[in-house]
Amino acid sequence: MDSSVRLIRSAALSDAPYAYGAVVEDGMRLVFLAGACPLEPDGTTAAVGDYVGQAAKCIQNLTEALRAAGATLRDVVSTRVLVASAQRSDLGAVWDVVHDAFGDHDAPSTLLGVTVLGYEDQLVEIEAVAAISG
């Protein structure tokens, strides 16, 4: 299935592991997702102390939220990845998980190191916007 999202690239900008922009085709509905957190179904935090494990759980939960809206990762217009760390190596490890999950649909994304996230022992959160057929 073709995505309703067209990723934008420019030879005038540096090469990056994500698109610089995205266009949503006319007649599409936007889906705004709350930040996907590394929570188990019982509400406990998964992979305590493990940035990569929490990133994987966030992707799993994001994928499920998208499914519930009738969307997939290929419908994502943009993401914001929040990592509770000041270490670039932690941000990079999380980004690798996100980038691998999205594959060639490397939607525009912002990667941020933050002081703290909302749940006990939470290290990662991933927000997304998607577009689906009207």
Side-chain angles (χ1 to χ4, degrees):
M1 176 166 105
D2 289 334
S3 175
S4 57
V5 178
R6 183 170 48 91
L7 299 179
I8 305 300
R9 303 176 194 291
S10 173
L13 299 170
S14 69
D15 187 31
Y18 50 83
Y20 275 95
V23 174
V24 175
E25 300 304 327
D26 192 34
M28 304 307 292
R29 290 184 303 138
L30 294 179
V31 179
F32 297 89
L33 296 152
C37 299
L39 299 179
E40 297 292 355
D42 67 2
T44 60
T45 303
V48 173
D50 179 3
Y51 287 94
V52 169
Q54 286 200 6
K57 184 63 177 176
C58 287
I59 290 292
Q60 180 183 357
N61 289 343
L62 176 64
T63 300
E64 178 55 29
L66 287 163
R67 187 201 61 72
T72 70
L73 290 176
R74 294 202 66 80
D75 298 312
V76 170
V77 176
S78 67
T79 66
R80 182 176 301 130
V81 181
L82 308 169
V83 182
S85 178
Q87 301 300 312
R88 284 195 175 97
S89 60
D90 295 333
L91 276 70
V94 168
W95 176 252
D96 288 344
V97 173
V98 173
H99 187 259
D100 288 348
F102 278 86
D104 67 348
H105 184 73
D106 52 352
S109 189
T110 300
L111 176 64
L112 299 167
V114 299
T115 305
V116 67
L117 291 166
Y119 289 100
E120 187 74 27
D121 298 315
Q122 182 183 2
L123 300 172
V124 180
E125 187 164 333
I126 304 171
E127 298 175 16
V129 176
I132 57 176
S133 296

